[in-house]
Amino acid sequence: MSQEQISKDDFTRGKPMPRQGEAGGYDQNWYPIALSKDVREGEVFGTEFLNGRVIAIRDANGKAQVLSAYCRHLGADLSDADVVNGKVVCPFHKWGYDSTGQCVETMTGDKPPEQAKLFRFPTEESWGVIWAFNGLEPFYEVPTPAMKEDDAAFEVEFNHMTNVDHFIPYSNSSDIQHLRAVHKIELEVDPKNVERWPGRMRYTQEMTMPGMPPMTQTVNIFGTNCLVFEGNMMGRHVYNMSAGKPLPGNRTLHTMMSATAKSTGAPGEDEMVQAIIQQGLAFGRQLFEEDDMVMRSIRFRQDILTETDRMLMTFLRYVREFPRTDIARDMIS
């Protein structure tokens, strides 16, 4: 090839995915904020979220609420606040906020300004997790398995960090080349059979993992940050869920859950239920750990793809089209 035949395009990479926190804010997802057990009545739970911090509390009825973390007076972090008579009391000047985020008292007796209100995220609690929706009005349901929580035995953990935007690890479920190359998982899935609703996708795949017989698995995608897998193991219906919470600096903290039907008490069934749950959690940890090296330094772009990437292209198109908002940006940072 002559010098004249070489184009600048030969040395140009593909289009980058818009980073979270930029270009309109963060995806309007339900995000896991905390484990239910970590948000206790009469206490404030503070945590990083999106581009800043939020607090989680319980109201007089025990219902979880997620609010922006900074006092509307001079910006003290309410993560360090006390809860007095049901009010979150700022540690700096003792302004008190009710469970809706409205300031209802000042220590000096000055009338609380009407504008002195924290941002309240739509909040739900299910399957041992407190979720907050990034926006004013959720347009899809909180991620859950397709079974009643009361009928399930499950465990949930919230402890794996990746230094990438939340959608990147979850693109792996659609990345057949990656699953084969790194995780030794063989998949067959037809992008034409993907079902879509606002904020949701679902499809069925045939999967073979090392040391296990082939299985049919249903994949439910909630937003751009959560996957719920449904299949069978040891003759039982099994659900595994993973969801990411975006943190400042384009980091993501992931929660994982594994569930199956409660034991009926038959001989050996208690042990089987626990074995299934622990195996599900262990498999999720293994996948994250096998990807850790790549996730430390990847510069994710949709560049040169091949025929095998058809399902991955479907997911990335879904991510690109997903609505974002930065409505809470100033309140939590």
Side-chain angles (χ1 to χ4, degrees):
M1 180 180 292
S2 69
Q3 186 70 28
E4 290 73 21
Q5 292 174 307
I6 297 176
S7 166
K8 180 178 180 297
D9 290 340
D10 293 325
F11 305 102
T12 301
R13 293 175 60 201
K15 187 176 181 182
M17 300 292 290
R19 287 170 65 86
Q20 295 291 312
E22 302 172 1
Y26 291 83
D27 290 340
Q28 292 190 55
N29 290 326
W30 281 104
Y31 292 107
I33 297 298
L35 297 181
S36 295
K37 65 181 182 180
D38 292 333
V39 181
R40 295 180 284 271
E41 292 188 30
E43 298 182 10
V44 176
F45 179 89
T47 181
E48 292 182 296
F49 181 47
L50 303 179
N51 62 301
R53 288 184 67 78
V54 296
I55 59 171
I57 61 171
R58 294 192 181 277
D59 63 20
N61 297 315
K63 188 178 187 303
Q65 307 287 351
V66 176
L67 308 167
S68 54
Y70 296 108
C71 180
R72 294 300 305 276
H73 186 208
L74 294 179
D77 186 355
L78 298 175
S79 302
D80 300 316
D82 292 322
V83 177
V84 180
N85 297 325
K87 294 181 288 290
V88 176
V89 179
C90 175
F92 199 12
H93 296 95
K94 306 302 180 182
W95 284 26
Y97 295 87
D98 66 18
S99 60
T100 72
Q102 181 67 55
C103 180
V104 293
E105 66 180 17
T106 64
M107 186 186 70
T108 61
D110 294 342
K111 182 180 178 180
E114 289 185 13
Q115 304 96 318
K117 189 171 185 177
L118 308 176
F119 186 88
R120 180 187 177 278
F121 292 86
T123 306
E124 296 289 345
E125 186 170 7
S126 68
W127 294 84
V129 176
I130 292 171
W131 302 81
F133 184 81
N134 179 38
L136 295 176
E137 189 70 33
F139 59 91
Y140 69 94
E141 65 270 30
V142 173
T144 58
M147 70 180 300
K148 293 181 178 180
E149 184 176 343
D150 290 343
D151 296 334
F154 67 94
E155 289 189 23
V156 60
E157 56 187 37
F158 203 178
N159 56 7
H160 198 95
M161 185 78 75
T162 55
N163 292 319
V164 292
D165 280 333
H166 58 259
F167 75 88
I168 294 176
Y170 299 107
S171 72
N172 288 349
S173 68
S174 305
D175 188 348
I176 293 175
Q177 293 201 44
H178 172 74
L179 292 171
R180 288 177 179 172
V182 176
H183 304 302
K184 312 305 179 188
I185 296 173
E186 289 291 335
L187 281 185
E188 291 185 19
V189 56
D190 187 349
K192 296 179 181 177
N193 294 330
V194 174
E195 300 176 88
R196 291 191 62 166
W197 305 268
R200 291 278 316 280
M201 291 203 304
R202 181 174 65 199
Y203 57 90
T204 300
Q205 61 189 17
E206 302 298 323
M207 182 171 68
T208 302
M209 297 186 294
M212 299 186 68
M215 69 172 66
T216 300
Q217 190 177 60
T218 299
V219 181
N220 288 277
I221 299 175
F222 292 83
T224 61
N225 70 316
C226 181
L227 300 175
V228 179
F229 299 97
E230 178 181 349
N232 286 281
M233 182 182 297
M234 302 181 192
R236 297 178 65 89
H237 219 54
V238 178
Y239 297 88
N240 291 287
M241 180 176 72
S242 183
K245 174 175 72 169
L247 308 178
N250 297 92
R251 299 170 296 140
T252 303
L253 183 62
H254 301 272
T255 180
M256 292 185 290
M257 186 269 288
S258 183
T260 188
K262 289 179 179 177
S263 170
T264 63
E269 191 177 8
D270 289 353
E271 293 77 9
M272 179 185 296
V273 166
Q274 275 304 304
I276 288 172
I277 290 172
Q278 294 308 316
Q279 185 171 347
L281 292 174
F283 183 64
R285 291 188 215 108
Q286 177 184 329
L287 294 181
F288 275 114
E289 289 165 2
E290 290 175 349
D291 288 341
D292 272 346
M293 180 179 67
V294 172
M295 294 299 162
R296 283 198 298 268
S297 58
I298 191 171
R299 294 295 180 266
F300 195 96
R301 291 197 185 193
Q302 184 176 329
D303 205 343
I304 300 172
L305 305 181
T306 68
E307 177 68 16
T308 305
D309 293 317
R310 289 184 305 141
M311 189 62 211
L312 176 60
M313 286 188 281
T314 299
F315 180 78
L316 295 180
R317 187 180 307 114
Y318 167 78
V319 172
R320 286 187 183 277
E321 296 171 352
F322 210 84
R324 294 185 173 194
T325 184
D326 60 0
I327 191 169
R329 172 184 290 274
D330 289 343
M331 299 291 285
I332 66 176
S333 63

